Amino acid sequence: MLARTLRVGLALSVSLVLLGGQMATSASAKLNERERRLHRYVQNARQSRGIPGLHKRRGLSREAHRHSVRMARRGSTYHQGCLSCSAGHSNWSRLAENVAKARSVRKAHRALMRSRTHKRNILCRCHDRVGYGVVARGGWVYVTQIFMG
């Protein structure tokens, strides 16, 4: 099972507990179809366990999408060097990032949910905001999820 997870190109999740600055805007993010599908998978996973849904944030999704573009160009998954930099001046105390590479959004979500640390990020009650980036290239989808609480 672990070997399969590694084959789909999952990177270890990164969680940070830090103090932030000002309040985030409440404007919802414009997502592409794959990103909307991923959001539904995440919301359903949380809802089925009685966990409140996540609010999409434009700035987080913009940064997540940019990171997925960079990963697609390289053909591999990796974490951002400075996750707190992507949070900007938002009011936050927790950040987490999941990245994945798979043949479809559904397969990426399933692989993330099979990984204890990635699943913890998706289901953490401490997160209330999220940004998604999903980019398709060469038969693969590159996924970035940025969680904020």
Side-chain angles (χ1 to χ4, degrees):
M1 173 92 70
L2 180 58
R4 179 184 170 118
T5 301
L6 293 175
R7 271 185 259 136
V8 295
L10 286 178
L12 292 175
S13 66
V14 174
S15 296
L16 300 173
V17 178
L18 300 167
L19 297 175
Q22 303 167 355
M23 190 66 133
T25 64
S26 62
S28 66
K30 282 194 163 190
L31 303 177
N32 66 38
E33 177 54 37
R34 288 182 179 95
E35 291 161 350
R36 285 192 298 272
R37 191 174 319 134
L38 182 59
H39 182 64
R40 284 192 302 271
Y41 292 148
V42 169
Q43 295 294 69
N44 289 341
R46 290 174 67 92
Q47 182 181 25
S48 70
R49 292 163 176 85
I51 302 167
L54 297 167
H55 302 283
K56 296 173 288 193
R57 290 295 183 252
R58 185 183 316 264
L60 290 177
S61 289
R62 197 170 25 248
E63 184 55 41
H65 187 83
R66 281 188 205 127
H67 187 63
S68 291
V69 167
R70 290 188 296 266
M71 292 191 304
R73 285 181 181 149
R74 282 192 185 180
S76 64
T77 57
Y78 59 94
H79 287 285
Q80 298 184 63
C82 180
L83 184 57
S84 63
C85 297
S86 37
H89 298 289
S90 300
N91 182 20
W92 55 272
S93 59
R94 294 182 76 89
L95 286 175
E97 177 184 62
N98 287 347
V99 296
K101 175 183 174 185
R103 292 292 182 181
S104 70
V105 172
R106 183 179 177 128
K107 288 180 180 180
H109 177 71
R110 284 182 173 173
L112 290 167
M113 291 298 288
R114 282 193 293 264
S115 162
R116 187 174 47 151
T117 54
H118 293 91
K119 182 177 181 178
R120 185 180 314 130
N121 288 339
I122 292 168
L123 300 179
C124 185
R125 291 178 183 273
C126 63
H127 299 136
D128 59 358
R129 292 159 282 173
V130 67
Y132 300 100
V134 180
V135 173
R137 185 171 183 158
W140 295 95
V141 293
Y142 296 83
V143 172
T144 304
Q145 300 171 318
I146 301 173
F147 301 95
M148 182 184 281

